[in-house]
Amino acid sequence: RGGCSATFDELNKYFTISDTIIGEMCYEGDINVKIDVKDSTEKETRPADVATDKKSFSLTLRNDDVKKFNGQKFIVTYTAKTTEKFVAGSAISNTAKVESNAKTNPTPPVVNVYTFAIQINKKDTDDNVIKGVTFELYGNKECTGNPIKTGTTNENGIIKFDGLDADNNNGAGTTYYLKETATEDTSYSLLANPVKVTLIPTYKADSNTYDGGLKYKINDGEEISSTDDNVRTAIADIVNKKGFKLPGTGGMGTYIFTIGGLVVMAGAVLLLVSSKKKRA
């Protein structure tokens, strides 16, 4: 996201803003330039021209648009996605390019792009790592729709979901949900409910400027600060318990009748003991 303004003195002037994204990222969806009118709630948008490879875009305003929005502030917003090669904690310095034949040209805005990560450490109650456990990452509590990412724990019981977006949102952060969907070792019970992870990027004191740090919460617990070893990464230690497994022979009906029979026998023993006491 960048902002800039310029002054034009007559028609037949132009103003072009463009951006080329670098690294393991590309634009996602359409790009629109929002034009905010000063001291007004009025806003207009213009679609930008996006390159086929989704790595760059440009938008040029001419003539009537130039005259109409003379001296106003331009805010460019877009969404980018990362590839699987993107490493969490990386910071990409992105600069928009501004060209015009106006009297004054703005300084090209420089925006640092940060992403975040959630790392799962899968263990059992004896602190042994569990490999082969599959998780899906969602942005909604119900875990509906297509998952944002899917992964399976490695030999060390770890999955790391990289390249995630997060906003401070006045301290509320951005929430993700981890849904456990499968496990190679069927002696472990799958989690009944998703694990909630809240990412809270931190701001400089008395400022709306991101300071490069991250705090996070697991299932609404205490806020934890990410460390230099795991920069901008939330660590979720998730424990699985061994499940109760019935013997492999016989159907469920057999167990119901067997348990029922044991209850009847227990009742008979109690009656017998009671009867003996009365006779005595």
Side-chain angles (χ1 to χ4, degrees), residues 50-56:
V50 183
T52 303
D53 63 0
K54 297 286 187 176
K55 300 287 282 187
S56 63

Side-chain angles (χ1 to χ4, degrees), residues 3-264:
C4 51
S5 61
T7 301
F8 301 86
D9 58 357
E10 59 186 48
L11 294 181
N12 299 317
K13 299 294 184 180
Y14 72 88
F15 178 90
T16 299
I17 184 167
S18 59
D19 195 4
T20 299
I21 202 165
I22 60 176
E24 296 297 331
M25 300 180 72
C26 61
Y27 295 124
E28 184 175 42
D30 297 329
I31 299 175
N32 292 288
V33 176
K34 292 183 179 179
I35 304 173
D36 296 342
V37 179
K38 289 181 179 178
D39 303 320
S40 172
T41 57
E42 180 184 354
K43 296 182 181 180
E44 295 194 27
T45 61
R46 298 289 186 276
D49 294 324
V50 183
T52 303
D53 63 0
K54 297 286 187 176
K55 300 287 282 187
S56 63
F57 78 88
S58 67
L59 179 130
T60 300
L61 299 177
R62 297 184 182 276
N63 300 329
D64 288 345
D65 270 344
V66 169
K67 183 178 180 180
K68 181 176 182 179
F69 300 112
N70 179 24
Q72 306 306 322
K73 183 180 181 181
F74 294 76
I75 298 178
V76 181
T77 60
Y78 59 85
T79 300
K81 63 180 179 180
T82 61
T83 71
E84 294 299 325
K85 296 179 181 179
F86 196 91
V87 178
S90 300
I92 297 176
S93 182
N94 190 62
T95 304
K97 185 178 180 180
V98 179
E99 296 178 299
S100 76
N101 55 356
K103 287 182 178 180
T104 58
N105 277 320
T107 301
V110 178
V111 179
N112 288 325
V113 179
Y114 295 91
T115 64
F116 305 87
I118 297 174
Q119 178 175 311
I120 299 170
N121 295 335
K122 193 64 181 173
K123 302 177 181 180
D124 64 16
T125 51
D126 295 322
D127 209 34
N128 299 311
V129 301
I130 310 176
K131 68 174 184 177
V133 183
T134 301
F135 280 86
E136 294 177 345
L137 181 70
Y138 291 88
N140 62 85
K141 184 178 181 179
E142 295 74 22
C143 296
T144 54
N146 295 325
I148 298 170
K149 291 178 180 289
T150 301
T152 301
T153 56
N154 60 19
E155 294 291 330
N156 298 314
I158 294 173
I159 311 171
K160 194 170 186 178
F161 293 130
D162 282 326
L164 303 180
D165 183 29
D167 292 311
N168 181 273
N169 291 324
N170 295 318
T174 297
T175 302
Y176 291 95
Y177 295 88
L178 298 165
K179 181 180 180 180
E180 192 175 74
T181 59
T183 177
E184 289 181 4
D185 188 343
T186 55
S187 66
Y188 291 99
S189 299
L190 294 177
L191 298 179
N193 299 304
V195 176
K196 180 181 179 181
V197 181
T198 305
L199 305 180
I200 311 170
T202 55
Y203 285 178
K204 295 178 181 178
D206 302 321
S207 171
N208 238 1
T209 304
Y210 176 57
D211 65 8
L214 175 70
K215 292 186 177 181
Y216 62 92
K217 294 191 292 185
I218 308 296
N219 285 332
D220 296 322
E222 295 293 324
E223 285 189 0
I224 304 170
S225 296
S226 64
T227 64
D228 291 338
D229 292 336
N230 291 287
V231 61
R232 290 184 285 279
T233 300
I235 306 295
D237 293 324
I238 300 178
V239 178
N240 271 47
K241 298 179 180 179
K242 290 280 188 178
F244 175 74
K245 297 184 68 176
L246 294 171
T249 58
M252 181 57 71
T254 302
Y255 298 109
I256 293 174
F257 285 118
T258 301
I259 294 171
L262 291 174
V263 172
V264 171

